[in-house]
Amino acid sequence: MAAAAAAAKPNLLLPVSVAIPSSRVSLPTGLVCSARSPPPRLRAAAAAAAASQALTSPVAAETPEAKQMRVETEAALEWGGVCARLAGFASTAAGRAACGEGRVPVGRSREESERLLEQTAAAALLPAPLDFGGVEDVSAAIAAAAGARLLAVREICGVGRSIRAARRVFDQLKTLSEETPDGRSYTPLLDIMQDCDFLTELVQRIEFCLDYTLSVVLDRASDKLATIRKERRKNIDMLESLLRDTSTKIFQGGGIDSPVVTKRRSRMCVGVKASHKHLVPGGIVLSSSGSGATYFMEPRDAIRLNNMEVKLSGDERAEELAILGLLTSSIADSEMKIRHLMGKILELDLACARGSYALWINAVRPAFTDRDSDTQLNPNSECSVFIEGIQHPLLLEQSLSMVKESTRVGKGQLSDEHLVSPMPIPLDMQVRNDTRIIVISGPNTGGKTATMKTLGLASLMSKAGMFFPAKGTPRLPWFDQVLADIGDHQSLEHSLSTFSGHISRLRKIVQVVSKDSLVLIDEIGSGTDPSDGVALSTSILKYLASRLNLAIVTTHYADLSRLKAVDDRFENAAMEFCLETLQPTYQILWGSTGNSNALSIAKSIGFDQKVLARAQEWVEKLLPDKQKERQGLLYGSLLDERKLLESQANEAASVLSDVERLYNEIRSEADDLDSRVAALRATESEKVQQELKFVKSQMDQIIKNFESQLKNSELEQYNSLMRKAEAATASLAATHQPTDFTFGDEENESSYVPEIGDKVYVEGLGGGSMASVVETLGEDGSCMVQYGKIKVRVKGNKIKLVQRGTKDTSASSPVKGKGRTPKRSAAEANQDGNVSFGPVVQTSKNTVDLRGMRVAEASHELQMAIDGCRSYQVLFVVHGMGTGAVKECALGILRNHPRVAKFEDESPLNYGCTVAYIE
């Protein structure tokens, strides 16, 4: 078979562009079947990726002991029954199989369980169930293709149908999301399918080559197959025509009762009586009837046609195998993508099944609690477990099923065959945050074990994203493990008695328990001497109290209920028993201690009254001994409590001594504070006086030098002398200016970029004086600032921005009139807005010297200078004194030029120069 496929492989017509006669359907571009076998490196890479993901998973690997305990716990809690109920709501074969085998996914982390719950909530909102029709379980076919086994036509069609159906399911979800006003409700379901590859090219390739309805290879799969089938049909028509004519002649010659054309040994032939064999001259006898009276002969003229039919049939089968091999190879190449897609479809199907199951049993969504965070966020949240009106899901399911069946039988009238079982009694569960162990006592058949199982099932269902029947919004912790010891584990095969079976399971529980585990123990310490059982049970429970999240145990030992008095981590609960009716009410009483009521129960079932009376006498006789034993236990517990209190008192005394010593040290320091403050003030005052004297002497020296130089200088040097005196005064003031701000803060260093004209404070010049940036940052991260006549290069982290040099001036720009309307003064302009021009520092770049020019030349030069200025720059116009013609021309231009916001006339300190502010 493989050899035939390999031989036919070169003749297949499966290129990118297929040349098929116009009467045939053309294969779409891109539907190329690769002839190579499934590459093992693809599967090896996938296996390596899966192994890598398993290694990097945040969830710790499950130990063999933990896995065994999980399986046994699920069996004890009847988790398989819940999964079996869920299977009835699954739509796919894979979903039903997963539920039937108990493979319902359970969240391995709180986040994963929350995601499953969101999926269930979204599925419950669906207006109608999703149509999973066409989705098949193709895992076996995918595995076979990956194992290099040739798939049959039916298997390949199943793969194609399943992928196509998966795309339809996704399209249904998208349509619902788009048509619903609040489309985000279905987001958790859409997220399941978001990263799926629907393999459109592979599906189109399969649909092009195969017929899903008839499960056959189509003629258009390749030109060679089409040619072979065309020749074969023509050959068969010729062969059948020849054999019909021959059979008619035999019939007319009396060689057969009716014309017979049949097939023997894969060759077409005719029937003829043995006595009339001569009517088929040169024919070959292929077979005979059972009696030997009829021969089935191949006429001589049909031999060539039969040989051609055998050859063409073999060629057709080889070509079909080659095509199936190519499709199988394509499926093997897409193995991981198909498995991923089918896994997501299974996840979506299970989510929809959980939603339908929740609606069926009228279940509500649980919420997970955290002992520490919930108490901090909500001080009123005192319970880690708060569930109202919970019902056992399996008991409720039985009642609902019988109600439905009775309704179907007789419109609500019950028949003898369909008796409705009573609804399970709702239970309220409240466990405080500080409680670790709950001891439930009460009568036999009172519901202790059922209560414990109900909480265990509720924990498993919430982890698996399932809702459970209750009222309101039930809250419970997320348990990483649910460990149960329920039932009799006696085993003759393993030589285990009832007690040894219990102890063996308790040992495993102690080994695998964690801080987030839920432990359920039924009848702890039973099956042995009561004294030994109580002692062992007490030791086990105290050991577990600090190593788990919550444990619930049932017992008939009254001594275990007294642990609450000596350990706050313990809490009691009792199953209510009605003494009037001598029947349990199946209600749980939190904080109470219950009695076994063995004699009352025996009386209610009709036990011999004489035996019960004698039992009551024994109870009264044993009562004093029990009281003494209880007194001894109480005395021992009081001694232990006394030792604990003494150690705590000693520790508190040591802490008090340390606090008193620290207080005395602080008090002595505080008493000496006033004297230290006075001394510090005197020292600082003396420093200020000395500094003031020094500054005064320096100022006197500057004034004296200025006056002496003024007497010996000319009028033109007056401005220069004034600037030198101002610079010296400013330098002296900057040196002694106190700093009231800090430099180098991270925000200033990281976000501020100096620009020319910015007003900044410079570290070292004093906090009260501003400098102007005259050059931007250099390669070493520094910039040039000017303070008066002093120019200093400083680093960017040594300056702090006070005011930007460039801002919007629309609010402060004056409205310019016509003619010679004077500009506003600088003070008036600054009052109207926050316009900030460049620093008023004269340099060669911002100065235009008109001295010595004629009026026309000066006018042109000033116009060019104004046009060449940057926005919000200061321009120094030096026109001199002279006759005043150039000055008048310059002032006229400054008054009327649209870019001049304002200008300052010459002053005694600035003769012959006008400062213009350019917009």
Side-chain angles (χ1 to χ4, degrees), residues 762-906:
V762 182
E763 185 178 6
L765 291 182
S769 301
M770 291 187 295
S772 301
V773 179
V774 295
E775 289 187 17
T776 56
L777 290 172
E779 295 180 355
D780 57 348
S782 63
C783 65
M784 181 73 74
V785 300
Q786 181 168 354
Y787 179 78
K789 286 294 184 179
I790 303 174
K791 291 185 179 180
V792 183
R793 181 172 294 277
V794 295
K795 293 184 177 180
N797 59 354
K798 299 297 183 181
I799 61 177
K800 183 175 182 181
L801 177 65
V802 177
Q803 183 179 0
R804 281 288 186 184
T806 301
K807 291 188 179 179
D808 186 13
T809 61
S810 60
S812 62
S813 297
V815 179
K816 299 177 177 57
K818 296 182 179 180
R820 299 175 60 85
T821 303
K823 299 286 182 176
R824 292 179 297 170
S825 65
E828 292 173 346
N830 289 334
Q831 287 176 0
D832 295 341
N834 295 324
V835 178
S836 178
F837 293 88
V840 188
V841 179
Q842 185 175 358
T843 64
S844 60
K845 294 182 179 180
N846 64 355
T847 302
V848 55
D849 193 353
L850 306 179
R851 292 177 296 184
M853 299 182 183
R854 294 182 180 275
V855 174
E857 184 181 0
S859 174
H860 177 72
E861 188 70 21
L862 181 56
Q863 292 281 358
M864 295 292 291
I866 294 174
D867 294 339
C869 286
R870 298 194 305 271
S871 298
Y872 303 108
Q873 181 179 342
V874 177
L875 178 65
F876 289 83
V877 182
V878 182
H879 45 70
M881 303 300 291
T883 61
V886 175
K887 176 181 177 181
E888 287 299 326
C889 177
L891 294 178
I893 293 174
L894 295 178
R895 288 191 188 97
N896 300 317
H897 200 286
R899 291 196 60 196
V900 179
K902 59 185 179 180
F903 60 88
E904 295 176 352
D905 293 336
E906 55 186 349

Side-chain angles (χ1 to χ4, degrees), residues 561-700:
S561 300
R562 299 188 185 95
L563 292 174
K564 176 184 177 181
V566 297
D567 195 334
D568 293 338
R569 297 174 298 177
F570 285 75
E571 181 59 85
N572 292 328
M575 301 308 299
E576 187 180 28
F577 186 82
C578 182
L579 296 178
E580 296 179 357
T581 61
L582 299 180
Q583 294 291 331
T585 63
Y586 303 105
Q587 294 290 344
I588 187 168
L589 303 176
W590 295 95
S592 302
T593 301
N595 297 320
S596 295
N597 295 304
L599 300 183
S600 299
I601 294 176
K603 181 179 179 181
S604 66
I605 63 177
F607 212 87
D608 190 349
Q609 187 63 34
K610 294 181 180 179
V611 176
L612 295 180
R614 185 172 298 178
Q616 184 64 36
E617 293 177 0
W618 276 105
V619 169
E620 295 175 355
K621 290 181 180 179
L622 294 175
L623 190 60
D625 295 335
K626 289 186 176 181
Q627 292 292 343
K628 291 181 180 179
E629 183 179 358
R630 292 174 183 174
Q631 290 176 359
L633 293 174
L634 179 60
Y635 180 71
S637 64
L638 289 176
L639 289 179
D640 294 339
E641 188 72 17
R642 178 181 177 182
K643 292 179 181 178
L644 178 61
L645 292 176
E646 287 178 352
S647 63
Q648 293 177 349
N650 293 332
E651 184 178 356
S654 175
V655 173
L656 178 61
S657 176
D658 294 339
V659 171
E660 289 178 348
R661 178 178 53 80
L662 182 60
Y663 172 77
N664 293 331
E665 292 178 0
I666 296 174
R667 184 61 182 271
S668 62
E669 293 287 339
D671 293 341
D672 193 40
L673 184 61
D674 294 338
S675 60
R676 293 167 58 190
V677 169
L680 182 60
R681 285 179 177 175
T683 303
E684 292 296 328
S685 178
E686 184 178 357
K687 289 182 179 179
V688 170
Q689 292 296 332
Q690 293 177 359
E691 188 174 358
L692 185 59
K693 291 179 182 179
F694 176 76
V695 172
K696 185 177 180 181
S697 63
Q698 292 291 325
M699 287 298 297
D700 292 342

Side-chain angles (χ1 to χ4, degrees), residues 97-275:
C99 294
E101 297 170 6
R103 292 186 288 106
V104 175
V106 178
R108 296 176 297 172
S109 65
R110 176 171 175 170
E111 292 73 18
E112 188 173 348
S113 296
E114 291 279 8
R115 180 174 57 82
L116 293 174
L117 288 172
E118 291 177 357
Q119 294 174 2
T120 305
L125 296 176
L126 290 172
L130 296 177
D131 183 12
F132 287 87
V135 177
E136 304 176 15
D137 187 1
V138 296
S139 56
I142 301 302
R149 179 176 74 79
L150 186 67
L151 297 183
V153 177
R154 175 183 52 80
E155 294 175 312
I156 298 176
C157 289
V159 173
R161 279 194 301 266
S162 298
I163 299 175
R164 178 69 72 184
R167 182 54 187 260
R168 285 199 304 269
V169 173
F170 180 67
D171 292 340
Q172 292 178 55
L173 274 178
K174 287 188 64 178
T175 303
L176 280 175
S177 179
E178 294 170 356
E179 294 177 351
T180 305
D182 186 11
R184 292 177 297 179
S185 303
Y186 305 115
T187 300
L189 299 180
L190 282 171
D191 290 342
I192 298 176
M193 307 290 294
Q194 283 296 344
D195 59 342
C196 291
D197 185 353
F198 292 98
L199 301 167
T200 305
E201 181 180 342
L202 175 61
V203 174
Q204 291 178 349
R205 186 183 304 153
I206 294 175
E207 292 174 346
F208 183 84
C209 296
L210 305 180
D211 187 331
Y212 286 173
T213 304
L214 302 177
S215 295
V216 295
V217 181
L218 297 174
D219 294 353
R220 65 188 182 191
S222 72
D223 272 356
K224 181 177 180 180
L225 181 62
T227 302
I228 293 174
R229 287 182 173 177
K230 182 179 180 181
E231 294 178 358
R232 187 181 176 191
R233 285 191 292 269
K234 181 179 179 181
N235 185 73
I236 289 178
D237 291 342
M238 295 173 58
L239 180 60
E240 289 179 349
S241 176
L242 174 65
L243 294 178
R244 281 196 300 270
D245 293 343
T246 303
S247 179
T248 301
K249 293 179 180 178
I250 294 175
F251 171 70
Q252 293 174 352
I256 195 70
D257 295 335
S258 61
V260 176
V261 177
T262 184
K263 179 180 284 188
R264 290 292 187 272
R265 293 167 57 182
S266 300
R267 300 179 73 85
M268 298 293 291
C269 57
V270 295
V272 61
K273 293 180 181 180
S275 57

Side-chain angles (χ1 to χ4, degrees), residues 394-519:
L394 294 181
L395 299 178
L396 179 63
E397 173 73 16
Q398 294 175 1
S399 301
L400 292 175
S401 298
M402 290 187 177
V403 169
K404 181 178 180 181
E405 183 66 19
S406 64
T407 304
R408 184 183 63 82
V409 170
K411 295 183 180 180
Q413 297 179 355
L414 307 182
S415 62
D416 295 338
E417 294 81 12
H418 300 88
L419 294 178
V420 178
S421 64
M423 289 288 182
I425 296 176
L427 299 174
D428 295 337
M429 298 186 180
Q430 300 178 10
V431 180
R432 297 175 59 87
N433 283 324
D434 55 355
T435 301
R436 291 289 185 264
I437 308 291
I438 297 178
V439 179
I440 302 179
S441 56
N444 292 313
T445 70
K448 299 189 301 297
T449 305
T451 300
M452 190 166 53
K453 283 186 173 182
T454 301
L455 180 59
L457 267 183
S459 302
L460 288 177
M461 292 175 71
S462 59
K463 286 184 63 178
M466 299 176 66
F467 298 178
F468 52 79
K471 298 178 181 178
T473 302
R475 304 194 308 270
L476 72 166
W478 184 86
F479 301 107
D480 63 345
Q481 297 180 99
V482 180
L483 308 171
D485 175 25
I486 301 175
D488 187 0
H489 302 284
Q490 184 185 42
S491 174
L492 297 178
E493 180 182 357
H494 297 92
S495 300
L496 290 177
S497 65
T498 299
F499 177 73
S500 58
H502 279 297
I503 292 301
S504 176
R505 288 182 58 82
L506 290 176
R507 177 184 61 82
K508 296 177 183 177
I509 289 175
V510 170
Q511 286 179 347
V512 304
V513 73
S514 69
K515 282 286 187 180
D516 295 321
S517 297
L518 171 65
V519 174

Side-chain angles (χ1 to χ4, degrees), residues 369 371 374-375 378-384 433 475:
T369 61
R371 291 179 184 267
D374 286 354
T375 304
N378 184 11
N380 297 325
S381 179
E382 299 180 352
C383 297
S384 62
N433 283 324
R475 304 194 308 270

